[in-house]
C-alpha cells in the first residue's frame, strides 16, 4: 500500500533539480551584482584629476604669494631651459 514510492525521482531528476538550483542561484547572484554595479557606477567612473605640472605648481605658488613675479619668471625659465649639464 505504499503507492507514493512509484513516483520517486530517478538519477536524472536529481541532476535536473540540482542544475536548476545552481542556475537559479547564479541568476540571483548575477542580478544582485549588476544592480550594485549600476548603483555604484557613476561615482566609481569619475576621472581622477591629473597630477599638477611644474608650471602649474609655480603658478599656484605665485598666486598664493609664496614667490614674487621675479622668482616665478626665473624658475619658469630654468624649467624650460632643459636638463642641467655639468661642466
Amino acid at each position: 500500500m505504499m503507492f507514493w514510492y512509484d513516483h520517486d525521482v530517478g538519477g536524472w531528476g536529481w541532476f535536473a533539480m540540482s542544475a536548476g538550483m545552481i542556475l537559479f542561484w547564479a541568476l540571483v547572484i548575477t542580478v544582485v551584482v549588476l544592480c550594485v554595479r549600476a548603483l555604484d557606477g557613476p561615482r566609481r567612473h569619475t576621472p581622477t584629476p591629473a597630477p599638477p605640472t611644474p608650471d602649474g605648481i609655480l603658478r599656484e605658488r605665485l598666486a598664493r604669494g609664496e614667490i614674487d613675479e621675479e622668482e616665478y619668471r626665473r624658475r619658469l625659465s630654468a624649467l624650460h631651459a632643459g636638463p642641467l649639464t655639468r661642466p
Side-chain angles (χ1 to χ4, degrees):
M1 289 274 149
M2 297 186 172
F3 59 88
W4 53 82
Y5 286 114
D6 283 337
H7 303 292
D8 191 18
V9 178
W12 286 108
W14 284 108
F15 173 75
M17 283 194 305
S18 299
M21 187 59 68
I22 290 170
L23 289 174
F24 170 76
W25 283 111
L27 179 68
V28 168
I29 291 170
T30 302
V31 167
V32 169
V33 167
L34 290 177
C35 287
V36 168
R37 283 187 179 179
L39 295 175
D40 193 36
R43 286 180 284 142
R44 223 168 136 203
H45 298 295
T46 55
T48 56
T53 62
D55 292 349
I57 293 172
L58 278 177
R59 279 193 301 274
E60 289 175 10
R61 290 187 65 194
L62 177 65
R64 285 193 299 259
E66 295 176 8
I67 58 175
D68 60 357
E69 191 173 345
E70 180 184 334
E71 179 76 11
Y72 170 76
R73 292 192 189 283
R74 186 175 63 79
R75 289 182 183 224
L76 192 61
S77 65
L79 275 176
H80 293 290
L84 295 175
T85 57
R86 292 187 179 186

